[in-house]
Amino acid sequence: AQKITQTQPGMFVQEKEAVTLDCTYDTSDQSYGLFWYKQPSSGEMIFLIYQGSYDEQNATEGRYSLNFQKARKSANLVISASQLGDSAMYFCAMRERMNDYKLSFGAGTTVTVRA
Amino acid sequence: EAGVVQSPRYKIIEKKQPVAFWCNPISGHNTLYWYLQNLGQGPELLIRYENEEAVDDSQLPKDRFSAERLKGVDSTLKIQPAELGDSAVYLCASTVWGARRNNQPQHFGDGTRLSIL
């Protein structure tokens, strides 16, 4: 079964606008962590933001925020004030305690920022 | 702080040839991972090391893939012989393994893009 589902293969966003990337996950574990990574065309995977399953507040890191809805098992990434440099592939990933803390990735969403 | 360093950046070989990738993790990171990433997909774990011990190699195709981390620092991933289906990006990542396991992100290198002719 797919642990991480990212239903948007590609998105276009206008520069300076906000964009929301969807991520839903499947786990029966009570203790897990959710991560978002950015992968530009250069290939490196850049860690953006983390949300723990016990965290009550939504995580924020600069222009990145995570809309965590535990009951719906969703962890959407919001990028505010999009910049041209935000054009990249974005991956949602989950680490579960019961899965020996392995990191499971979704298929990714490609974001293209238009000037 | 230097990031995860991988080499080579690109590698083109003919099928049935051997190939090796090298990874130097972030200083102080005792846990090292090798991932395979096919085009348009997320990375998939091949092997995880804690110090010099391979603690999870269940996804490593051991008939042709091997890995080592002899001194618990840098690591080498080898494929012998390479097949056409091995064309992919091979990513190395590292992290600190401690009590607060869930919130430690893995830091990735730039990857090695392998093309098999």
Side-chain angles (χ1 to χ4, degrees), chain A residues 65-115:
Chain A
S65 60
L66 202 151
N67 184 3
F68 181 47
Q69 298 187 46
K70 193 171 182 177
R72 298 180 62 182
K73 293 186 177 178
S74 75
N76 298 340
L77 176 71
V78 180
I79 306 174
S80 62
S82 296
Q83 302 171 356
L84 294 178
D86 294 335
S87 294
M89 191 82 155
Y90 289 82
F91 290 97
C92 179
M94 176 174 65
R95 182 192 290 168
E96 306 162 274
R97 179 179 56 189
M98 65 188 295
N99 194 25
D100 198 23
Y101 299 98
K102 288 181 184 179
L103 200 57
S104 300
F105 287 84
T109 296
T110 301
V111 172
T112 303
V113 180
R114 290 171 165 162

Short mmCIF file of all heavy atoms in Angstrom, two decimals, chain A residues 65-115:
data_model
loop_
_atom_site.label_atom_id
_atom_site.label_comp_id
_atom_site.label_asym_id
_atom_site.label_seq_id
_atom_site.Cartn_x
_atom_site.Cartn_y
_atom_site.Cartn_z
N SER A 65 5.21 26.61 5.16
CA SER A 65 4.42 26.20 6.30
C SER A 65 3.74 24.87 5.96
O SER A 65 3.52 24.55 4.79
CB SER A 65 3.38 27.26 6.67
OG SER A 65 2.50 27.48 5.59
N LEU A 66 3.46 24.12 6.99
CA LEU A 66 2.88 22.80 6.82
C LEU A 66 1.49 22.81 7.43
O LEU A 66 1.36 23.10 8.63
CB LEU A 66 3.78 21.73 7.46
CG LEU A 66 3.63 20.31 6.96
CD1 LEU A 66 4.93 19.54 7.10
CD2 LEU A 66 2.52 19.59 7.72
N ASN A 67 0.49 22.52 6.64
CA ASN A 67 -0.88 22.45 7.11
C ASN A 67 -1.16 21.00 7.52
O ASN A 67 -1.49 20.16 6.68
CB ASN A 67 -1.84 22.90 6.01
CG ASN A 67 -3.28 22.93 6.49
OD1 ASN A 67 -3.57 22.66 7.67
ND2 ASN A 67 -4.20 23.26 5.62
N PHE A 68 -1.01 20.73 8.81
CA PHE A 68 -1.09 19.38 9.34
C PHE A 68 -2.50 19.11 9.85
O PHE A 68 -2.94 19.77 10.80
CB PHE A 68 -0.06 19.20 10.46
CG PHE A 68 -0.01 17.83 11.08
CD1 PHE A 68 0.02 16.68 10.29
CD2 PHE A 68 0.04 17.68 12.46
CE1 PHE A 68 0.10 15.43 10.87
CE2 PHE A 68 0.12 16.43 13.05
CZ PHE A 68 0.14 15.30 12.25
N GLN A 69 -3.19 18.17 9.23
CA GLN A 69 -4.52 17.77 9.67
C GLN A 69 -4.46 16.28 9.99
O GLN A 69 -4.63 15.43 9.10
CB GLN A 69 -5.56 18.08 8.60
CG GLN A 69 -5.65 19.57 8.30
CD GLN A 69 -6.79 19.90 7.36
OE1 GLN A 69 -7.90 19.42 7.52
NE2 GLN A 69 -6.50 20.72 6.35
N LYS A 70 -4.22 16.00 11.26
CA LYS A 70 -3.92 14.63 11.68
C LYS A 70 -5.08 13.68 11.43
O LYS A 70 -4.88 12.56 10.99
CB LYS A 70 -3.53 14.65 13.17
CG LYS A 70 -2.90 13.37 13.68
CD LYS A 70 -2.37 13.59 15.09
CE LYS A 70 -1.69 12.35 15.60
NZ LYS A 70 -1.10 12.59 16.96
N ALA A 71 -6.29 14.12 11.73
CA ALA A 71 -7.45 13.24 11.58
C ALA A 71 -7.67 12.87 10.11
O ALA A 71 -8.13 11.76 9.80
CB ALA A 71 -8.70 13.93 12.13
N ARG A 72 -7.33 13.77 9.23
CA ARG A 72 -7.48 13.51 7.80
C ARG A 72 -6.21 12.90 7.21
O ARG A 72 -6.16 12.57 6.02
CB ARG A 72 -7.81 14.81 7.07
CG ARG A 72 -9.10 15.46 7.51
CD ARG A 72 -9.36 16.74 6.76
NE ARG A 72 -9.51 16.52 5.33
CZ ARG A 72 -9.71 17.49 4.44
NH1 ARG A 72 -9.80 18.74 4.86
NH2 ARG A 72 -9.81 17.22 3.17
N LYS A 73 -5.17 12.77 8.02
CA LYS A 73 -3.88 12.25 7.57
C LYS A 73 -3.38 13.00 6.35
O LYS A 73 -3.05 12.42 5.31
CB LYS A 73 -3.98 10.74 7.29
CG LYS A 73 -4.22 9.92 8.56
CD LYS A 73 -4.17 8.43 8.31
CE LYS A 73 -4.34 7.67 9.61
NZ LYS A 73 -4.33 6.21 9.42
N SER A 74 -3.35 14.31 6.51
CA SER A 74 -2.80 15.12 5.44
C SER A 74 -1.76 16.09 5.99
O SER A 74 -1.84 16.52 7.15
CB SER A 74 -3.91 15.89 4.70
OG SER A 74 -4.36 16.98 5.47
N ALA A 75 -0.79 16.40 5.17
CA ALA A 75 0.33 17.27 5.56
C ALA A 75 0.70 18.12 4.36
O ALA A 75 1.73 17.90 3.72
CB ALA A 75 1.50 16.43 6.05
N ASN A 76 -0.13 19.09 4.06
CA ASN A 76 0.08 19.89 2.86
C ASN A 76 1.13 20.96 3.09
O ASN A 76 1.18 21.59 4.14
CB ASN A 76 -1.24 20.54 2.42
CG ASN A 76 -2.29 19.51 2.06
OD1 ASN A 76 -1.98 18.35 1.78
ND2 ASN A 76 -3.55 19.93 2.09
N LEU A 77 1.95 21.18 2.08
CA LEU A 77 2.98 22.22 2.14
C LEU A 77 2.44 23.49 1.48
O LEU A 77 1.92 23.43 0.37
CB LEU A 77 4.25 21.76 1.42
CG LEU A 77 5.37 22.79 1.33
CD1 LEU A 77 6.00 23.01 2.71
CD2 LEU A 77 6.44 22.35 0.33
N VAL A 78 2.60 24.61 2.15
CA VAL A 78 2.22 25.90 1.60
C VAL A 78 3.49 26.71 1.39
O VAL A 78 4.27 26.90 2.33
CB VAL A 78 1.24 26.65 2.50
CG1 VAL A 78 0.89 28.00 1.88
CG2 VAL A 78 0.00 25.83 2.77
N ILE A 79 3.69 27.16 0.18
CA ILE A 79 4.80 28.05 -0.13
C ILE A 79 4.20 29.43 -0.39
O ILE A 79 3.38 29.60 -1.31
CB ILE A 79 5.59 27.60 -1.38
CG1 ILE A 79 6.04 26.14 -1.23
CG2 ILE A 79 6.80 28.50 -1.60
CD1 ILE A 79 6.70 25.58 -2.49
N SER A 80 4.58 30.39 0.41
CA SER A 80 4.03 31.73 0.23
C SER A 80 4.98 32.57 -0.61
O SER A 80 6.18 32.29 -0.69
CB SER A 80 3.82 32.40 1.59
OG SER A 80 5.06 32.53 2.27
N ALA A 81 4.43 33.58 -1.27
CA ALA A 81 5.24 34.52 -2.06
C ALA A 81 6.23 33.79 -2.95
O ALA A 81 7.45 33.97 -2.83
CB ALA A 81 5.96 35.50 -1.13
N SER A 82 5.71 32.98 -3.86
CA SER A 82 6.56 32.14 -4.71
C SER A 82 7.60 32.95 -5.47
O SER A 82 7.35 34.07 -5.92
CB SER A 82 5.69 31.37 -5.72
OG SER A 82 4.83 30.49 -5.06
N GLN A 83 8.76 32.34 -5.60
CA GLN A 83 9.87 32.95 -6.33
C GLN A 83 10.27 32.02 -7.48
O GLN A 83 10.01 30.82 -7.43
CB GLN A 83 11.07 33.16 -5.39
CG GLN A 83 10.76 34.01 -4.18
CD GLN A 83 11.89 34.03 -3.17
OE1 GLN A 83 12.91 33.35 -3.34
NE2 GLN A 83 11.73 34.83 -2.12
N LEU A 84 10.94 32.57 -8.47
CA LEU A 84 11.35 31.77 -9.62
C LEU A 84 12.21 30.59 -9.18
O LEU A 84 12.15 29.49 -9.75
CB LEU A 84 12.09 32.63 -10.64
CG LEU A 84 11.25 33.72 -11.31
CD1 LEU A 84 12.13 34.54 -12.26
CD2 LEU A 84 10.06 33.14 -12.06
N GLY A 85 13.00 30.81 -8.16
CA GLY A 85 13.88 29.75 -7.64
C GLY A 85 13.14 28.63 -6.95
O GLY A 85 13.75 27.62 -6.59
N ASP A 86 11.84 28.78 -6.75
CA ASP A 86 11.06 27.71 -6.13
C ASP A 86 10.68 26.63 -7.14
O ASP A 86 10.16 25.58 -6.75
CB ASP A 86 9.77 28.28 -5.51
CG ASP A 86 10.04 29.20 -4.34
OD1 ASP A 86 11.10 29.04 -3.68
OD2 ASP A 86 9.19 30.07 -4.06
N SER A 87 10.92 26.88 -8.42
CA SER A 87 10.62 25.88 -9.44
C SER A 87 11.47 24.63 -9.18
O SER A 87 12.71 24.70 -9.19
CB SER A 87 10.92 26.43 -10.83
OG SER A 87 10.04 27.49 -11.14
N ALA A 88 10.81 23.52 -8.93
CA ALA A 88 11.51 22.30 -8.55
C ALA A 88 10.49 21.18 -8.38
O ALA A 88 9.29 21.40 -8.51
CB ALA A 88 12.28 22.49 -7.24
N MET A 89 11.01 20.01 -8.05
CA MET A 89 10.18 18.88 -7.66
C MET A 89 10.11 18.90 -6.13
O MET A 89 11.12 19.12 -5.46
CB MET A 89 10.82 17.58 -8.14
CG MET A 89 9.95 16.35 -8.02
SD MET A 89 8.81 16.23 -9.40
CE MET A 89 8.51 14.47 -9.41
N TYR A 90 8.92 18.64 -5.59
CA TYR A 90 8.73 18.65 -4.14
C TYR A 90 8.23 17.28 -3.69
O TYR A 90 7.25 16.75 -4.24
CB TYR A 90 7.74 19.73 -3.72
CG TYR A 90 8.32 21.12 -3.88
CD1 TYR A 90 8.32 21.75 -5.11
CD2 TYR A 90 8.88 21.78 -2.78
CE1 TYR A 90 8.87 23.02 -5.26
CE2 TYR A 90 9.43 23.04 -2.93
CZ TYR A 90 9.43 23.65 -4.17
OH TYR A 90 9.98 24.90 -4.31
N PHE A 91 8.92 16.73 -2.70
CA PHE A 91 8.58 15.41 -2.20
C PHE A 91 8.11 15.48 -0.76
O PHE A 91 8.75 16.13 0.08
CB PHE A 91 9.79 14.47 -2.27
CG PHE A 91 10.18 14.08 -3.66
CD1 PHE A 91 11.20 14.77 -4.31
CD2 PHE A 91 9.54 13.04 -4.32
CE1 PHE A 91 11.57 14.41 -5.60
CE2 PHE A 91 9.90 12.68 -5.60
CZ PHE A 91 10.92 13.37 -6.24
N CYS A 92 7.03 14.78 -0.49
CA CYS A 92 6.56 14.56 0.87
C CYS A 92 7.09 13.20 1.31
O CYS A 92 7.13 12.25 0.51
CB CYS A 92 5.03 14.59 0.89
SG CYS A 92 4.28 14.32 2.49
N ALA A 93 7.49 13.09 2.57
CA ALA A 93 8.04 11.83 3.06
C ALA A 93 7.60 11.61 4.50
O ALA A 93 7.33 12.56 5.24
CB ALA A 93 9.56 11.83 2.96
N MET A 94 7.55 10.35 4.90
CA MET A 94 7.13 10.00 6.25
C MET A 94 8.10 9.00 6.86
O MET A 94 8.57 8.09 6.17
CB MET A 94 5.72 9.40 6.24
CG MET A 94 5.24 8.91 7.60
SD MET A 94 3.53 8.36 7.58
CE MET A 94 3.62 6.94 6.50
N ARG A 95 8.35 9.18 8.13
CA ARG A 95 9.17 8.22 8.88
C ARG A 95 8.34 7.71 10.04
O ARG A 95 7.81 8.50 10.82
CB ARG A 95 10.42 8.91 9.39
CG ARG A 95 11.38 8.01 10.15
CD ARG A 95 12.43 8.83 10.85
NE ARG A 95 13.35 9.42 9.91
CZ ARG A 95 14.23 10.37 10.25
NH1 ARG A 95 14.28 10.82 11.47
NH2 ARG A 95 15.05 10.85 9.35
N GLU A 96 8.20 6.39 10.14
CA GLU A 96 7.39 5.77 11.18
C GLU A 96 8.26 4.98 12.14
O GLU A 96 9.17 4.27 11.71
CB GLU A 96 6.36 4.80 10.58
CG GLU A 96 5.47 5.37 9.51
CD GLU A 96 4.85 4.24 8.71
OE1 GLU A 96 5.51 3.78 7.75
OE2 GLU A 96 3.73 3.81 9.03
N ARG A 97 7.92 5.07 13.40
CA ARG A 97 8.65 4.30 14.40
C ARG A 97 8.48 2.80 14.16
O ARG A 97 9.44 2.05 14.20
CB ARG A 97 8.15 4.65 15.80
CG ARG A 97 8.84 3.86 16.92
CD ARG A 97 8.31 4.28 18.26
NE ARG A 97 6.87 4.14 18.35
CZ ARG A 97 6.14 4.61 19.37
NH1 ARG A 97 6.71 5.26 20.36
NH2 ARG A 97 4.83 4.43 19.37
N MET A 98 7.27 2.38 13.80
CA MET A 98 7.03 0.95 13.62
C MET A 98 7.67 0.41 12.35
O MET A 98 7.76 -0.81 12.18
CB MET A 98 5.51 0.67 13.59
CG MET A 98 4.78 1.29 12.41
SD MET A 98 2.99 1.12 12.55
CE MET A 98 2.78 -0.64 12.47
N ASN A 99 8.10 1.30 11.47
CA ASN A 99 8.79 0.88 10.25
C ASN A 99 10.28 1.14 10.39
O ASN A 99 10.98 1.40 9.39
CB ASN A 99 8.22 1.64 9.05
CG ASN A 99 8.63 1.03 7.72
OD1 ASN A 99 8.93 -0.16 7.63
ND2 ASN A 99 8.67 1.85 6.68
N ASP A 100 10.75 1.07 11.62
CA ASP A 100 12.17 1.23 11.91
C ASP A 100 12.70 2.57 11.41
O ASP A 100 13.85 2.69 11.00
CB ASP A 100 13.00 0.08 11.30
CG ASP A 100 14.37 -0.04 11.93
OD1 ASP A 100 14.55 0.42 13.07
OD2 ASP A 100 15.29 -0.56 11.26
N TYR A 101 11.84 3.56 11.41
CA TYR A 101 12.21 4.92 11.06
C TYR A 101 12.68 5.08 9.62
O TYR A 101 13.41 6.02 9.29
CB TYR A 101 13.26 5.47 12.02
CG TYR A 101 12.78 5.51 13.45
CD1 TYR A 101 13.11 4.51 14.34
CD2 TYR A 101 11.97 6.55 13.89
CE1 TYR A 101 12.65 4.54 15.64
CE2 TYR A 101 11.51 6.58 15.20
CZ TYR A 101 11.85 5.57 16.07
OH TYR A 101 11.38 5.60 17.36
N LYS A 102 12.25 4.16 8.74
CA LYS A 102 12.59 4.32 7.33
C LYS A 102 11.83 5.50 6.75
O LYS A 102 10.68 5.74 7.11
CB LYS A 102 12.20 3.07 6.55
CG LYS A 102 13.06 1.87 6.79
CD LYS A 102 12.58 0.71 5.94
CE LYS A 102 13.38 -0.54 6.25
NZ LYS A 102 12.90 -1.70 5.45
N LEU A 103 12.43 6.18 5.83
CA LEU A 103 11.81 7.33 5.18
C LEU A 103 11.14 6.86 3.90
O LEU A 103 11.80 6.34 3.01
CB LEU A 103 12.87 8.39 4.89
CG LEU A 103 12.43 9.82 4.66
CD1 LEU A 103 11.65 10.34 5.84
CD2 LEU A 103 13.64 10.70 4.41
N SER A 104 9.80 7.04 3.83
CA SER A 104 9.04 6.65 2.64
C SER A 104 8.64 7.92 1.90
O SER A 104 8.03 8.81 2.49
CB SER A 104 7.79 5.88 3.03
OG SER A 104 8.12 4.71 3.73
N PHE A 105 8.94 7.97 0.61
CA PHE A 105 8.68 9.16 -0.19
C PHE A 105 7.44 8.99 -1.06
O PHE A 105 7.12 7.89 -1.51
CB PHE A 105 9.86 9.45 -1.11
CG PHE A 105 11.07 10.01 -0.42
CD1 PHE A 105 11.99 9.17 0.18
CD2 PHE A 105 11.29 11.38 -0.39
CE1 PHE A 105 13.11 9.68 0.82
CE2 PHE A 105 12.40 11.91 0.24
CZ PHE A 105 13.32 11.06 0.84
N GLY A 106 6.79 10.12 -1.34
CA GLY A 106 5.76 10.15 -2.35
C GLY A 106 6.38 10.28 -3.73
O GLY A 106 7.60 10.35 -3.87
N ALA A 107 5.53 10.34 -4.74
CA ALA A 107 6.01 10.42 -6.12
C ALA A 107 6.44 11.82 -6.52
O ALA A 107 7.08 12.00 -7.56
CB ALA A 107 4.93 9.93 -7.07
N GLY A 108 6.08 12.80 -5.71
CA GLY A 108 6.54 14.16 -5.97
C GLY A 108 5.55 15.00 -6.77
O GLY A 108 4.68 14.48 -7.48
N THR A 109 5.70 16.30 -6.64
CA THR A 109 4.92 17.28 -7.40
C THR A 109 5.89 18.28 -8.00
O THR A 109 6.73 18.83 -7.30
CB THR A 109 3.93 18.05 -6.50
OG1 THR A 109 2.97 17.13 -5.98
CG2 THR A 109 3.22 19.14 -7.28
N THR A 110 5.78 18.49 -9.30
CA THR A 110 6.63 19.48 -9.97
C THR A 110 5.95 20.84 -9.91
O THR A 110 4.80 20.99 -10.31
CB THR A 110 6.86 19.10 -11.44
OG1 THR A 110 7.47 17.80 -11.49
CG2 THR A 110 7.77 20.11 -12.12
N VAL A 111 6.68 21.82 -9.42
CA VAL A 111 6.17 23.19 -9.35
C VAL A 111 6.95 24.05 -10.32
O VAL A 111 8.19 24.03 -10.33
CB VAL A 111 6.30 23.75 -7.93
CG1 VAL A 111 5.95 25.24 -7.90
CG2 VAL A 111 5.41 22.97 -6.96
N THR A 112 6.24 24.77 -11.15
CA THR A 112 6.85 25.73 -12.07
C THR A 112 6.31 27.11 -11.74
O THR A 112 5.10 27.33 -11.77
CB THR A 112 6.53 25.38 -13.52
OG1 THR A 112 6.97 24.05 -13.80
CG2 THR A 112 7.24 26.35 -14.48
N VAL A 113 7.22 28.02 -11.41
CA VAL A 113 6.83 29.38 -11.07
C VAL A 113 7.00 30.25 -12.32
O VAL A 113 8.07 30.28 -12.93
CB VAL A 113 7.69 29.92 -9.92
CG1 VAL A 113 7.27 31.35 -9.56
CG2 VAL A 113 7.56 29.01 -8.70
N ARG A 114 5.95 30.96 -12.67
CA ARG A 114 5.95 31.81 -13.85
C ARG A 114 6.17 33.27 -13.46
O ARG A 114 5.59 33.74 -12.47
CB ARG A 114 4.62 31.70 -14.59
CG ARG A 114 4.40 30.36 -15.27
CD ARG A 114 2.98 30.25 -15.78
NE ARG A 114 2.82 29.16 -16.74
CZ ARG A 114 1.67 28.63 -17.08
NH1 ARG A 114 0.54 29.08 -16.52
NH2 ARG A 114 1.59 27.68 -17.97
N ALA A 115 6.97 33.96 -14.26
CA ALA A 115 7.22 35.39 -13.99
C ALA A 115 6.01 36.22 -14.38
O ALA A 115 5.23 35.84 -15.25
CB ALA A 115 8.46 35.85 -14.75
#
